[in-house]
Amino acid sequence: MRDSFPALVTTVTGTGPGLLLAHGATGSVEGNFAPVLPALAAAHTVVAPDYPGSGGTPVAAAPLDLDELTDAVVDSAVRRGVGRFAVLGFSLGTLVAVRAAVRHPERVTALVLTAGFARPDDHLLGLLPGWRAEVPPALHPHIDLIPSLDTTGDLAEVAVPTLVVATTADSMVPPAGSRALAAGIRDARYTEIDSDHVAMVERPEEWLEPVLDFLHSLSPSEGKDGEAE
C-alpha cells in the first residue's frame, strides 16, 4: 500500500472463528454495527477496522482505491493473528467483501453481504452530491470513491459460501442491488428484511437471525480461525 494510506484503527473482540467487518461509506464500526457486535462476538473473533476518516483512523492523503482499501481491511485481521475469516460487509463494505474473496481467497472463508451492490445505480449516484454536503470533509473520500466502483466481474469468481441480505425498504441502495449480488454469486443464499439501509441498527434482532444461522452453519474448515502467516 502507499505510504499515504494510514493503518486502520481496529478493535478485536470475542473468541472463535474469525469474522472481519467491512462497514459502509461515511459509516464506522460503531455507527453501523454497535447493536449487533455483542451477539457476533459471542461465538466469533470479530475484527472491526475503521476506514480512513472513520472512527479513529486518520484521513488518507490520496483518494481511496477499492483494492487498496480491501487489502488494508484484510491486513487489519492478519496483523492481529486472524489469518482466515468470514467477511461481513455492509453497503460499500459488500464491495470490499467481494473483492477480498477474489484477491485473498486463501484468507476468506465466507461472505455476508447486507444492503449491497456490485456497482452504483442512478438512484445512488443521484444522492451523492447532497450526501457529500452533509458529512464532514474527512468522509468525503468515501463518497468520492463510489462512482468508480464496479465488482460485477468479480461475482462469478467468488467461491465461498455467501449470504445476501436485502433491505427491502432501503431509501439509499435499492434491493435490486442485493438481488444482483445473489444472482451473480454461485449458490448464494438470499433473504430479505423490511428495513431501511442500516438494518443492523434498525432491525438488529431480525438481521441477526439469518446471519447467525448462516455463520453457525459453516463447516469447521470454512469458519476456522487461522493463524497469520
Side-chain angles (χ1 to χ4, degrees), residues 24-26 90-92 115-117 120-128 130-132 134-135 143 146 167-175 177 195-198:
T26 76
F90 163 67
S91 194
L92 168 62
F117 57 99
D121 65 1
D122 289 341
H123 174 75
L124 178 56
L125 292 174
L127 297 176
L128 299 186
W131 187 11
R132 195 176 193 275
E134 293 173 357
V135 301
I143 296 171
I146 291 172
T167 42
T168 59
D170 201 322
S171 58
M172 179 169 287
V173 178
S195 171
D196 204 343
H197 193 52
V198 193

Side-chain angles (χ1 to χ4, degrees), residues 5-11 23 26-31 48-60 80 138-139 142:
F5 198 96
L8 305 184
V9 172
T10 301
T11 59
H23 66 73
T26 76
S28 64
V29 170
E30 177 70 18
D50 280 308
Y51 301 163
S54 291
T57 302
V59 179
R80 288 156 181 84
L139 298 175
H142 295 196

Side-chain angles (χ1 to χ4, degrees), residues 74 78 82-86 100 104-110 227-229:
V74 168
V78 175
V82 183
R84 284 171 57 78
F85 38 78
H104 303 279
E106 76 285 3
R107 303 284 188 197
V108 177
T109 60
E227 295 298 322
E229 295 175 0

Side-chain angles (χ1 to χ4, degrees), residues 66-90:
L66 181 60
D67 285 347
E68 193 169 33
L69 178 61
T70 298
D71 290 351
V73 168
V74 168
D75 189 59
S76 73
V78 175
R79 284 180 176 269
R80 288 156 181 84
V82 183
R84 284 171 57 78
F85 38 78
V87 186
L88 194 162
F90 163 67

Side-chain angles (χ1 to χ4, degrees), residues 18-46:
L19 180 63
L20 177 59
L21 305 186
H23 66 73
T26 76
S28 64
V29 170
E30 177 70 18
N32 289 170
F33 295 111
V36 299
L37 274 174
L40 295 174
H44 296 85
T45 300
V46 178

